[in-house]
Each structure stands twice: as C-alpha cells, then as structure tokens.
Amino acid sequence: MLLVMVAFRVDRVASPVYVGRDEALETLAATMRTAIRNGPAVALVAGEAGIGKTRLLTEFTRSLNERNERNERIEPGLLNEPVRVVEGACTEFASSGGEGFAYAPFVAVLRRLAKDGAATASAREYRELTRWFPELGEPSAPDAGERRPRTDIGRPHPHTDPGGPHPHTDTGKHRLYEEVLALIEEAAVRRPLMVIVEDLHWADAASRELFAFLARNLTQPGILLVTTYRPDATRINHLDPLLTELVRGPRTTTLRLPRLGRNDVGRQLAAILGAVPDGPTLDHVYRRSDGNPLFVEALAHAEEGTPDSLRELLLQAPRALPAPARRLLGLASAGGSRIAHRLLEELADESGDGLDALIRVLVDHGLLVPDGDGYTFRHALIRHAVYEDLLPGERARLHARYVEALSTGDAYAELAAHAAAAGDHASALVAAYRAAGQARRSYAYQDQVQMLERVIDWWDRTPGAGARAGVDLGGVRTEAAEACMFSGDYERGVEHATAGLALLDEHRAPERVALLLEHRGRLLHRLNSIGTPDFERALRLLPDDPDDTQRGRVLGVLAMGLLPGSATGQRAFDEALRVGRRTGDATVTVRGLLGRGARHRDLDALVEASALAERLEGYDLLLTVPMYEATLHTRDGEHRRAIDTALAAARRARRFGLGLSRGAALTSYAVRALILTGEWERATALLDEALTQSPPPVQDQVLRSMAGQLALMRGDLRAAEAALVETEDAPHDVSMYHQYRWRPLLALAQGDPERADRLLGRALADPGLAELHGVDSLPVLITGALVQRARGDAHGPAVTARRAELAAMGRVFGVGDDGAYDKALRMCLHALLDDTGWDEVIAAWRELGQPYELAQSLLYGGQAALLGGDRDGGRTLLDEAAKLAATLGAAPLTREIALAAGPAPGTGGLTPRQHDVLALIAEGLSNRRIAERLHISPSTAGVHVSHILAKLGATTRTEAAAIAHRNGLAR
C-alpha cells in the first residue's frame, strides 16, 4: 500500500504554557483536599465560551497525573492511592434543540470506570446498568423470580394533585441512580476520584437530574464532582434551578474564570509565538481578544486585516488546511462535539495510517483533541464555525453517511437527528420513536417528550408512518401526555392528551380513551383542579366490573382529585379499596386506604398503606402516605409530629430526586405546622429555600400564600398583598383556604372592614367551602367573626345577620371532625361570635401549643374581663398576650393588645388608625410613604400626623417617634 504523507508547516496555536490561572488551580487542589478530608465535594467551573474551562481541568488533571507518576498523593496519609480522574461531556448536536442526549456524560464516566476496573459490579448491577445504558453492553435477561418495581400515584389532602410520576418508572429511575451512586462510591474506596462532567449547560434533563442526585447523596470521602458551564447559557438550557441547588451545598466551590489581563495575554502570546511580542502587537491582540484566551490563540498568527467576524476569525486555521484534512474536519463537525474513532474510521474516505496522519494534522493544529476512544473539538465555537461553513448540499450528504453508518446500531437519538438533517423523514421518524422508548426505559422523560414530538412533527411528511413505527398517532399522543406528566410539563401534556382524544373513537377503543382521559384529568388537576370531569367520563367508558383494575385506578385518582370531605370522593375511595382488596392490586388498595385514613382519622390504615407502598418500592406513593399522616397529626393538634413526619419525608423525597414535586408538597405541610407552633423564623427559612427551587405551579402558589400569611401576621402589608396577588389564579382548593381566609384580614389591616366583609361574602357563597375538613373551613368562618368584631355596632343589623350566618355555617362545617385542633377552632368561633367561653378557648390553645391563637384569645378574653369589671384579671391576660405577640414578632397583634390595655402615659388615647400611623412615623417614613403603606392619600396621612402630634403633646415627628418607642408602639 502506498502511503502518502501530507507535510506542511504547523504553526503553534495553543500556548504550551498555562497562564493566568494559578489561583484557580490552587482552589481546585484545595477542594480536592477537602473532599479527601471531610467528604465529597462539588466544584462548579463557570466561564464564557473560550475562557479556558476545559484547559483548566486539563492542566489540573495533568498535575494529578504527574503526582501519580511520582507516586505522590494530593493529601498524604489519608488514602492509599493517588487520585483517579474520569470524565464525560454533555454534547450539543445541531439538530437536537440545543440539548445533548440522555445521560451522555455519565455513560462515558461509567465506561471509563469499568475499563479501568475502578469498581466491580455484581452480575445484577451490571445487567441493570446495561439495560438502562445500552452503550455499556448487551443487557441480559432478569433472573427468574426477580421482582420488578410496581406502580403507583397518590394525592394527599388538601393541596396536591391526584397522582404523580408513574411509580414503576419513578422507582426504576432511582434504582438506576442508586446503582450509579454505588459504583462511583465503590471506585473511591481505595483511591480518591475526580468525576468531571463538562459543558453542563448542554446537559439533557436526565443528566441534570442525575448530577443533582449525586451531588446531594455522595457520602464516600475522596470524591470530587466537577462540572463546567457557561453562565450565559444557563437560562436558555434550564440549568438555573440546578445551579441554585448546587451553590447552596455546604461543600460546593464555585470558580468563575475571568478574562486575562494584558500581562497574561502577553505571556500567552509569547508562548504561542516563541518570542515576546512587541508592544503594538500585544496591544492589538489584547484589544481585539478582550482577554479571551481562545481569541488570543485565533489572533496570534492573524494578519493586520483580520476580519472582525468571530466566525471568520475561527475559520482561518481550518481554511488553511489541505483539502483532505479540511474534508475530514467537516465530516467530524457534522457529528457533534465528539466523535468516536471507530465511527470516524467507518465514515472517512481514508483509513488506517492515512486517516491517522490526517487526524494528527487536526490535533497538531489544535482543532481536535484526543478523548478516550474518540475525539472532541477543542472548542465548540470552532465546531460551529466549521459546520456552518459547509454548503447545504455538503451537510445533507454528510448526514446521510452518518445515517448509513448508524442504521445498524442502537444510537437512535443520534440516528434521528442525522436522518432529519439529511431530509430522510421516514428514517428520522422511526429512529425518534425508538429513541423515545430508550429514553423512557432510562427514565429520561423530557428526552422522551422531545423525541415523541419529533415523531408527531414528521408524521404527516412520512407516508405509512404508523406501519413504519408500529404505532398510530393516538398512541404517540398518549405516550407524550404520560411523559409530560412524569417530566412536569403539565400544560404540554394536556395539549397532547386533547389532541390524542380527537384521534380516538371511544366506541371502538373505550379503554384507550379512558386511559387518555385519566392522563388529562391528572394533568389538569395539577394545573387548576378541574380534572374530575375527565375521571368521571373515563369511568363511564369502562365496564362496571368490580374486578376491573383499570376502573379501580380511575376511582382512586377520582377520589384524590375531589375535595377530601365530599361524599362523592369518599364513595370513590371506598369502591377503590373494595376493588383493591378483591383483586389484590396493591396500587388500588393503597389509594383506598389513604381515603379511609383521611375520612376516619385512621392512622392504622395509613400504616398499612405505608407498608404496602414500601413493598412496591413506589417512591411517589410512599411519599404520599406521610402527607396524609401529617394532615391527621395537624387535625389532632399534634403539630410536632406533623413537622417531624413531613420534614423526614421531604428529606427522603430529595434523596430520591423528588424534591420539586413531593418534596415541595411535604415542605408546605411542615411550614403550616411550624406557623401554628410559632416557629416563624424556621418556617420562613423553609419557604425561602423551597421557593428558590422553582416548585410545580400548585405548590409554588401554596408556598407563596403561606409566605403572605406570615407577612400579614408580622405586619408587612405590602408583602402580604403581593403574595395574595401572585396567588389569585391558584387552584380552587388553594384559594379557598388562603385567599378566602387572608384577603379579608388584609383588608381589615388596611383599615377597610366593609371591603373585608364583601370579600368574606364571596367566600361564604362558595358551596365548596363546606366540603373541606374543619381545619380548613373553620378558619374562614373565624376570619368572618373577626371582620364582624372590627365592624362593630356601626352596622348593627348587617353585623347581626352576618354573625347568624357564620353561626349556622359553623354548625355544619367540619361536622365529624373531632380532632383537638378541630375542637379548638370550633370553640374559638363560638367565643368570637358570642364573646363568651374564653377561658376554655385559652386553655385549648395553650394545650395545643399555638402561641399566636393563644395571644389572640388572651386579648379577647382580657377585653371581656375588663368589660365585666375584672380589671386585674383582664390586665393579667393582656400582659401575657403582649409578651407572646412580641416574642412572635406579630406587630399588628401587639398594637391591638396595647390599645386594649388602654392608653399608656403619654399616648393620649390614639385611635387604631393613628396607632398605625405612629408606628410608621417611628420607622422614619414621610407622609407620602405612610400613605403608600396604608393605602390612603398623602393629605389624609398629613392630617393623621397633625392629630397624633397634638394628642401626644409632641412638637416634632422625632419626638413622637421617641414616645412610640418608649411605649412599645413602634414596630
């Protein structure tokens, strides 16, 4: 064979000397030492394109390798071996919508660990991994009798949705995560391990979730998890929530690589050129590159007339290549950021030594970098420029070659992308559908949705699409709707389900229509609580067979979707339990047990439900049970148990990657109980943390409503109103508890009791209010009683009528709820309406440990005692109320208590509104700011200020503020 070697001058492009990053290298070394000494650590390396993120890790890895060769340890005496480095990269592909393929970086990491023999997996573990990651090898059949995870969903009372991610898929996904976690930790037992995931901004949803899981759950000392990302791409590629979580980690280090200064650019140029550049050259390159190392390299050999376009700048080196090397580079650019040598050899015109010679040219020019068994572009910007420089016909032909080469393998996502780019929609459709199946089996739901939507897009352009794919379009829509439910994209799921229903005939395929209706009902409920009609229609389509498990499943989600106290919901729960018991279907049985537990306050039923859920390994269902348990504990007044139950389950939810769904819901249960026990600072911290995680819409609104509740009790009316406005479009059951209760109280705090009563009237007119448990409906009636107390005798007949209405509703609402909290609420309502029985109410709140409600009741009990002539008794109650309110930071209640105790010396008997104005004067606010806070005009605020000064005998606002502080009237 005649080997023709291509020889030509090679100008050095990359600097052989690494400049300007000594501090970053030392930070990485320190982080590695922390990981060895104190436990796993995470390093986030952030920087713009071309700033040198990969070079930083390359240099750090090189330093570790040099230590390894000298048999040195980065932290002597702690582990037996030098550091091992394994890496993978998130790849960007032009036709894949900007995101990489599912789990791509972790496949590379696991392959490298397996190749190095760093971790040993049992036969079962390896079989499971090859099932999820076909790239690791052929999966074998499961052992006989091997139990597979079962399925389930569930909805707790009162603020979550019916169902959840499919528990089979959910369980399998987290079994996968646990096995990856175990393998990585095993690899670090005897030798420190650095796992690098590059270009996280291109990570698919599944890779992002697995990365977060590892960051949360790694415990083996000696592991450093490192990733690089571009800050400018995080929002576009959905990385912000993950970064928010990561940076809050106790052992996370963030390195932000800045641009190089003039001196460092000079050192880089000198290393590239082999000589120190003169001043004008340095100034020219520094100005043009703006300190970006990649641009410095591109400009190092550029002539004075270098074009301003970055694309043209980056193409100078590729266009200077000989034609064979240039063709090979174009071929590689069509494959994405990385290409395996085996695939390149199959596609290239050259082979053997001739191919190696051309690849060597590309490597020597700094265009490609060897990467394991393949090659990556030294920078993504170079690949983009090369790919965009191809003519349209060249691109199509290159992608067609990829299609031919990939058609015999199982890289279906890549095959679909190449086929689409080549204009072969038939091959693209079939490959995309197969890729969707792969994504589902590896629990990459967003990737599954993406692939199914490509199938839908190409359907009409592909003759015989159904026969080719082996599924009709209705089936594709059904799969897409379900995948959206698992991924959390509920609105898109509703669109797919609705489109699918339009394609199916309920007379010919009633079960398929019922399944789509179930999916849409669950999706709708997660959005706005109107999924019940779909559940009911699905039931009408299914046979009235007591042993039909599909019917039982629909009954379960119907019951969970209805208001928890409704008779229809209870009947559905009961029937679901009967179906589950008769058929032995544990999923349906657990749903029925949840209903029994909620209806009868039966903790034993919930214990049985939890045991069944544990055996099924259905994490979503397993995390539903503690929601019901926390609700029962709250109704029983066992708030501490509710907090402990909810927080323990929330921690478990985060461990299983369900922090944004079940974890957010469980956090809301814990926050509610913390507010009741007066632990407001702890509740606020939990709220702030949960809201930064971008929880699903319903839970986001529940949490924001609770934040508004706290703001109102603390006296921050602006924050309270903002929270109520943000949650105005919340689902109905959320509105009933939060909007109905707190909006009238906000109007009261703003000094408008008549508007408060109008808002109350709208709440009382809602028939759904009576369907809630007493702990949810009775507080709305208590709000009504407080509004009437504020309206007073000025509206005698109207107040009397409203009180009678509230009393009548109180006799109906929550009947049968007999927990300690229910009883205390009912007693409090009657006391507010009749102004009697305060001793019993005070005793009840004291027993329950609810300081805010206790302080309120002490206030009203003290007022009643004063009116009855018991001045000493009244003062004692008011003194205790004042201390409790001050400890809580409940400013409005503190002021109300001070008013009830009578004017202190020097206060001159101010009105309630004047007390509000005085408190704002004490904050140093101007008349205009006071007007904004209290929603009054500046002139009215000025009148109030004048009257306050006169009553206090103060000549200045400063003197009035001093009096306010001295008498405890300031916030």
Side-chain angles (χ1 to χ4, degrees):
M1 183 179 81
L2 177 63
L3 175 63
V4 179
M5 299 298 294
V6 180
F8 54 93
R9 175 175 173 266
V10 175
D11 288 324
R12 179 179 291 152
V13 176
S15 168
V17 178
Y18 192 46
V19 301
R21 303 299 187 211
D22 292 344
E23 184 177 347
L25 286 170
E26 178 50 39
T27 299
L28 277 177
T31 307
M32 187 77 246
R33 288 192 290 271
T34 297
I36 296 172
R37 289 172 179 167
N38 304 325
V42 177
L44 309 177
V45 181
E48 65 185 38
I51 205 67
K53 301 181 292 296
T54 298
R55 180 71 184 269
L56 172 69
L57 297 184
T58 300
E59 293 296 329
F60 184 59
T61 300
R62 180 183 300 166
S63 71
L64 295 177
N65 290 338
E66 290 172 354
R67 287 174 179 268
N68 290 351
E69 290 172 2
R70 296 193 300 268
N71 200 29
E72 297 177 359
R73 302 180 187 91
I74 196 167
E75 182 64 12
L78 291 181
L79 291 175
N80 297 329
E81 300 290 340
V83 178
R84 172 186 288 110
V85 180
V86 293
E87 58 188 308
C90 305
T91 57
E92 185 244 7
F93 196 83
S95 302
S96 65
E99 284 197 355
F101 300 120
Y103 299 116
F106 294 102
V107 169
V109 166
L110 295 174
R111 185 188 291 119
R112 182 64 58 84
L113 287 176
K115 181 179 179 181
D116 293 348
T120 59
S122 69
R124 171 173 174 156
E125 286 172 335
Y126 186 75
R127 179 174 63 252
E128 292 294 342
L129 285 173
T130 55
R131 236 181 243 158
W132 285 311
F133 300 138
E135 300 91 335
L136 298 179
E138 283 296 323
S140 57
D143 297 333
E146 181 179 316
R147 180 164 53 88
R148 296 182 182 275
R150 295 289 301 277
T151 69
D152 203 60
I153 54 178
R155 175 186 189 259
H157 156 72
H159 296 135
T160 55
D161 49 75
H166 195 289
H168 170 69
T169 57
D170 195 53
T171 301
K173 175 171 65 175
H174 296 297
R175 284 176 57 195
L176 161 63
Y177 289 4
E178 291 284 354
E179 287 171 13
V180 174
L181 174 71
L183 287 172
I184 290 176
E185 292 201 324
E186 182 184 347
V189 168
R190 292 177 300 277
R191 182 174 176 181
L193 176 68
M194 183 166 74
V195 179
I196 299 173
V197 174
E198 289 220 59
D199 297 322
L200 196 63
H201 50 275
W202 283 330
D204 61 286
S207 295
R208 294 195 298 268
E209 187 174 355
L210 179 51
F211 190 96
F213 178 86
L214 294 174
R216 284 193 300 267
N217 295 298
L218 285 167
T219 58
Q220 173 66 37
I223 300 175
L224 176 59
L225 186 61
V226 185
T227 189
T228 64
Y229 69 92
R230 292 188 203 164
D232 61 335
T234 59
R235 189 171 302 278
I236 296 173
N237 291 335
H238 315 293
L239 193 59
D240 280 349
L242 172 57
L243 292 174
T244 299
E245 176 182 352
L246 292 174
V247 297
R248 296 172 69 94
R251 288 196 290 269
T252 296
T253 298
T254 301
L255 291 82
R256 300 187 183 279
L257 300 185
R259 295 177 179 178
L260 300 179
R262 184 178 184 278
N263 290 340
D264 284 332
V265 168
R267 293 173 59 204
Q268 184 184 4
L269 274 175
I272 294 172
L273 299 173
V276 176
D278 56 39
T281 298
L282 173 57
D283 289 339
H284 171 76
V285 173
Y286 178 60
R287 176 176 53 81
R288 296 288 304 281
S289 68
D290 201 17
N292 184 297
L294 178 68
F295 302 165
V296 173
E297 293 174 358
L299 288 162
H301 297 288
E303 301 296 333
E304 182 65 30
T306 299
D308 290 333
S309 166
L310 172 60
R311 176 173 172 274
E312 293 300 316
L313 188 65
L314 295 173
L315 283 173
Q316 283 193 338
R319 285 175 176 171
L321 294 170
R326 191 165 63 249
R327 284 196 302 270
L328 184 64
L329 188 66
L331 175 65
S333 74
S337 298
R338 184 186 187 279
I339 185 169
H341 179 82
R342 177 191 55 77
L343 181 59
L344 188 60
E345 194 168 31
E346 186 174 351
L347 292 169
D349 297 326
E350 298 79 6
S351 62
D353 291 341
L355 177 61
D356 290 342
L358 291 176
I359 293 173
R360 173 57 62 186
V361 170
L362 300 178
V363 170
D364 288 345
H365 272 70
L367 299 169
L368 291 185
V369 177
D371 178 21
D373 60 354
Y375 311 95
T376 59
F377 276 81
R378 190 173 58 81
H379 200 284
L381 292 177
I382 297 173
R383 189 198 76 82
H384 272 293
V386 171
Y387 182 76
E388 291 170 0
D389 197 42
L390 296 171
L391 297 172
E394 289 179 293
R395 292 182 197 171
R397 287 191 295 274
L398 290 177
H399 286 296
R401 290 164 71 177
Y402 275 94
V403 170
E404 183 178 359
L406 294 171
S407 60
T408 58
D410 56 7
Y412 296 122
E414 293 91 330
L415 177 58
H418 284 295
D424 184 355
H425 294 112
S427 297
L429 182 143
V430 173
Y433 186 68
R434 291 176 180 172
Q438 279 185 334
R440 178 185 175 84
R441 288 189 293 275
S442 59
Y443 316 105
Y445 307 123
Q446 290 186 13
D447 297 276
Q448 182 189 2
V449 173
Q450 185 182 59
M451 288 299 167
L452 290 172
E453 289 183 342
R454 291 184 189 177
V455 171
I456 294 167
D457 288 343
W458 297 327
W459 194 271
D460 291 337
R461 288 179 279 179
T462 307
R468 292 175 185 273
V471 64
D472 62 21
L473 188 55
V476 177
R477 291 285 190 181
T478 301
E479 292 179 39
E482 185 183 46
C484 286
M485 186 154 44
F486 302 157
S487 70
D489 196 345
Y490 306 140
E491 290 185 0
R492 190 186 302 186
V494 170
E495 293 173 2
H496 283 301
T498 301
L501 287 168
L503 296 169
L504 298 177
D505 186 338
E506 67 180 40
H507 299 293
R508 295 181 179 179
E511 292 84 2
R512 293 182 64 189
V513 173
L515 178 61
L516 255 180
L517 287 168
E518 180 186 343
H519 289 342
R520 191 174 70 173
R522 290 163 61 188
L523 289 159
L524 285 170
H525 192 90
R526 296 180 184 211
L527 288 169
N528 54 15
S529 297
I530 57 172
T532 303
D534 278 344
F535 299 145
E536 293 173 337
R537 182 182 165 197
L539 285 175
R540 290 194 296 270
L541 292 174
L542 294 171
D544 189 10
D545 180 353
D547 294 332
D548 186 87
T549 55
Q550 185 179 3
R551 181 178 182 81
R553 288 194 297 271
V554 175
L555 283 166
V557 292
L558 170 65
M560 295 171 184
L562 292 167
L563 290 172
S566 69
T568 304
Q570 290 303 328
R571 285 195 298 272
F573 268 129
D574 292 343
E575 189 174 348
L577 183 57
R578 285 195 296 272
V579 172
R581 296 289 196 203
R582 276 196 304 269
T583 63
D585 188 295
T587 295
V588 182
T589 303
V590 171
R591 293 176 185 168
L593 287 169
L594 293 178
R596 171 175 289 182
R599 181 179 185 181
H600 301 292
R601 296 179 46 252
D602 185 351
L603 280 174
D604 289 339
L606 298 185
V607 170
E608 181 184 356
S610 182
L612 279 174
E614 286 276 10
R615 194 166 71 241
L616 292 169
E617 301 180 18
Y619 295 128
D620 186 81
L621 177 61
L622 187 60
L623 294 169
T624 298
V625 178
M627 296 179 184
Y628 282 81
E629 290 175 331
T631 296
L632 262 59
H633 292 326
T634 297
R635 290 172 59 193
D636 287 339
E638 298 183 7
H639 304 312
R640 183 57 51 195
R641 288 186 68 184
I643 294 167
D644 293 343
T645 297
L647 289 181
R651 287 191 293 271
R652 196 170 190 184
R654 287 192 292 272
R655 176 161 179 79
F656 294 132
L658 299 175
L660 292 183
S661 53
R662 290 303 185 227
L666 287 159
T667 297
S668 72
Y669 282 80
V671 168
R672 182 178 184 180
L674 286 167
I675 292 174
L676 292 176
T677 57
E679 298 178 69
W680 291 2
E681 292 301 322
R682 191 178 174 195
T684 299
L686 280 176
L687 284 169
D688 291 344
E689 181 179 4
L691 287 169
T692 62
Q693 303 302 312
S694 301
V698 171
Q699 288 308 320
D700 181 84
Q701 292 180 318
V702 169
L703 295 168
R704 290 188 187 281
S705 294
M706 289 179 167
Q709 171 187 347
L710 278 170
L712 182 57
M713 292 192 296
R714 285 170 164 157
D716 188 345
L717 303 190
R718 179 172 294 179
E721 183 166 35
L724 285 167
V725 169
E726 288 175 341
T727 57
E728 280 180 334
D729 61 344
H732 191 219
D733 53 351
V734 179
S735 293
M736 282 193 288
Y737 180 69
H738 295 281
Q739 295 279 335
Y740 287 1
R741 181 178 183 188
W742 298 107
R743 188 164 284 284
L745 291 179
L746 176 61
L748 270 189
Q750 292 170 337
D752 194 342
E754 290 313 299
R755 182 163 63 91
D757 189 63
R758 288 194 298 274
L759 292 168
L760 173 68
R762 297 175 195 168
L764 300 181
D766 188 334
L769 192 62
E771 306 261 346
L772 295 174
H773 286 303
V775 293
D776 295 318
S777 59
L778 290 172
V780 177
L781 302 186
I782 288 174
T783 289
L786 291 171
V787 170
Q788 306 320 306
R789 190 179 185 93
R791 293 174 78 196
D793 297 332
H795 303 276
V799 169
T800 300
R802 184 70 85 190
R803 282 177 173 161
E805 180 184 9
L806 292 168
M809 297 179 85
R811 289 190 289 271
V812 177
F813 283 14
V815 172
D817 296 341
D818 53 357
Y821 185 30
D822 299 290
K823 291 177 180 177
L825 287 169
R826 198 175 301 282
M827 292 166 58
C828 186
L829 174 63
H830 293 320
L832 282 167
L833 293 174
D834 301 334
D835 208 18
T836 58
W838 286 113
D839 289 345
E840 291 80 3
V841 175
I842 290 168
W845 292 131
R846 200 184 300 280
E847 177 70 20
L848 290 173
Q850 294 184 218
Y852 185 82
E853 288 79 5
L854 175 58
Q856 272 191 320
S857 299
L858 287 166
L859 163 63
Y860 302 138
Q863 288 177 319
L866 291 176
L867 288 172
D870 184 3
R871 189 161 189 80
D872 290 340
R875 284 283 183 184
T876 299
L877 295 176
L878 292 174
D879 286 346
E880 182 182 358
K883 291 176 183 177
L884 284 171
T887 300
L888 288 169
L893 183 58
T894 297
R895 292 196 299 274
E896 192 176 355
I897 294 166
L899 285 171
T907 60
L910 301 179
T911 67
R913 174 55 87 192
Q914 289 169 348
H915 273 278
D916 291 337
V917 174
L918 178 58
L920 298 177
I921 292 173
E923 289 186 27
L925 270 61
S926 66
N927 287 355
R928 182 170 296 280
R929 291 291 307 282
I930 291 171
E932 291 174 356
R933 282 280 194 95
L934 299 179
H935 301 277
I936 58 180
S937 69
S939 59
T940 301
V943 171
H944 282 309
V945 171
S946 298
H947 290 167
I948 289 167
L949 295 178
K951 288 185 177 182
L952 297 181
T955 56
T956 66
R957 298 166 71 97
T958 301
E959 187 179 353
I963 295 171
H965 284 290
R966 187 168 59 247
N967 291 286
L969 300 175
R971 289 191 176 113

